[in-house]
Structure formats: C-alpha cells, structure tokens
Amino acid sequence: QHMLNAIKYSTSLWPLVVSAYQKTVTNEKEKVALEAFLIVLLAINSTYSLAWDITMDWGMMQNTCAGGSIVDAKSHSSCAHSVLRPKLRYGAPTSIGILIVDMILRYSWVLRFWESDLFPNADTYILCTQFLEAIRRSLWNLLRVEWEHIKQNRGKEEKTTIDVEMIEQKPFLAPASRSMSPVDRKPKSLQHKQRS
C-alpha cells in the first residue's frame, strides 16, 4: 500500500517536470510533442488519484450491490450504500455529489485547452485552477475524516466484541476450598490429647 501511494505522488511529479521543460523549448514541433506527452501524464495522474481517493482515502466501492458483498446485506439501506460504503454519515446523495465534484475537479486541467478563450492571461488561469483545487481538497477532506472516524469506531467495536466473547467463553471456576490449618491436619486422637 505504501508503494502504491508513492507511485501516486510520483505520477504528479512528472507532469510538473515536463511542463517546466516545455517552457524552455523554442522548437514548435517539439512543443507540440511535449504537449501531447503532458496530456497523457496528466490523464494518468488524475485517473490514478481519483481511484485512490475513492477506494483508499474514502473506503468506497469495495463491496458489490448483488452477491459477494463483504458486509451483511442488512446493513445496506440502498444499492448506493452497497456500492459506495455501508455507512455514509453524510447520506448517499451528499456522498455521491462529493464524489462527482471530486471527479470533475480532478480533471480541471482540461481547461488548458480553452485557456485563451476563458481567461485573459495565464495568471488568471493558474489562479482559477488553484481555487478549484482548494474546493476539491475541502470536499475530499469531508469524506476522508468520515472514513477515518468509521475505521476508529470499527476498531473499538471489534475490541468490545472480542472482550465480550472472551468473558462469555471463560469457564466457571469453583471457589478454592479452605486450606486446612496444621492443627486440623493432625489426627483426632492427637488433638484430643493436646486438649486434655
């Protein structure tokens, strides 16, 4: 998992390197080739990061709606809960809305194709994309904190269940018999002599 996470961050590094190098190139043909290569890298990074957001950061889409579900079907209030996650504290509509917005904003870099039509200059384009990224991260954080909270509570519930099972399965131990004193262990005839 750590290796996969490192790969995710490395996919965001290469577009920056290619983009920085592209600004130093003067040959138009090379610029066009680098632009195509940059688009491929951005698409890979956005797709990989989106899949990581959904499955790893949010714990979603790890079950199926019909058959093979990891969680008991009784905990699913709808197919959306089954596909996304059995527990959705913000509700299915809100969670789906955040997922769709995150997916759209992950590909906000496509605005570069209409940069000259939508923005007066490059600085405005950069400011707009950074603002959209801030919105995306805020929404991402909602589901990330929710999933972390669910995992923490799950760990506590599992520990409580294990403790209860151990208590229920613990065999009944009869109280220890009273140990006899040295006087009681002596034969009755000796005890009678000592008393007389």
Side-chain angles (χ1 to χ4, degrees):
Q1 181 176 343
H2 295 294
M3 182 61 67
L4 295 175
N5 196 20
I7 293 173
K8 183 192 77 167
Y9 285 107
S10 67
T11 59
S12 64
L13 179 63
W14 290 109
L16 296 175
V17 174
V18 174
S19 179
Y21 175 70
Q22 185 185 30
K23 294 178 181 179
T24 64
V25 174
T26 56
N27 190 342
E28 287 298 326
K29 185 178 288 187
E30 190 176 355
K31 273 189 175 181
V32 173
L34 286 173
E35 180 69 16
F37 184 52
L38 180 61
I39 290 172
V40 172
L41 292 177
L42 288 172
I44 292 173
N45 171 250
S46 298
T47 305
Y48 194 109
S49 299
L50 178 62
W52 188 273
D53 286 347
I54 296 172
T55 57
M56 304 303 294
D57 291 338
W58 297 343
M60 293 181 174
M61 293 188 178
Q62 298 181 4
N63 303 317
T64 56
C65 187
S69 179
I70 298 174
V71 185
D72 188 3
K74 293 180 180 179
S75 63
H76 298 158
S77 59
S78 66
C79 185
H81 285 76
S82 178
V83 174
L84 297 181
R85 202 191 314 126
K87 291 184 179 180
L88 297 172
R89 301 191 186 282
Y90 294 108
T94 302
S95 299
I96 293 173
I98 293 176
L99 192 153
I100 293 174
V101 172
D102 182 81
M103 178 177 62
I104 294 173
L105 295 182
R106 274 291 183 186
Y107 293 89
S108 62
W109 52 268
V110 299
L111 292 174
R112 65 190 292 116
F113 298 130
W114 301 279
E115 180 179 346
S116 58
D117 298 330
L118 298 175
F119 308 99
N121 50 58
D123 292 337
T124 306
Y125 164 72
I126 294 173
L127 178 63
C128 179
T129 54
Q130 294 300 318
F131 180 71
L132 292 176
E133 179 63 13
I135 295 176
R136 188 198 68 79
R137 287 179 179 271
S138 300
L139 296 175
W140 172 90
N141 204 42
L142 292 176
L143 295 182
R144 181 70 183 96
V145 172
E146 176 199 31
W147 176 233
E148 192 64 30
H149 178 68
I150 291 174
K151 288 195 298 184
Q152 294 292 335
N153 284 349
R154 179 188 298 173
K156 293 178 181 178
E157 291 173 359
E158 290 177 354
K159 184 178 183 302
T160 303
T161 304
I162 293 173
D163 292 342
V164 171
E165 291 178 353
M166 290 179 64
I167 293 173
E168 291 177 349
Q169 296 176 2
K170 188 176 181 181
F172 174 75
L173 299 177
S177 58
R178 185 177 62 88
S179 59
M180 299 177 63
S181 62
V183 177
D184 295 334
R185 292 174 186 168
K186 293 180 180 180
K188 292 184 178 181
S189 58
L190 294 177
Q191 294 181 19
H192 181 68
K193 291 179 180 180
Q194 288 178 356
R195 290 174 184 173
S196 58

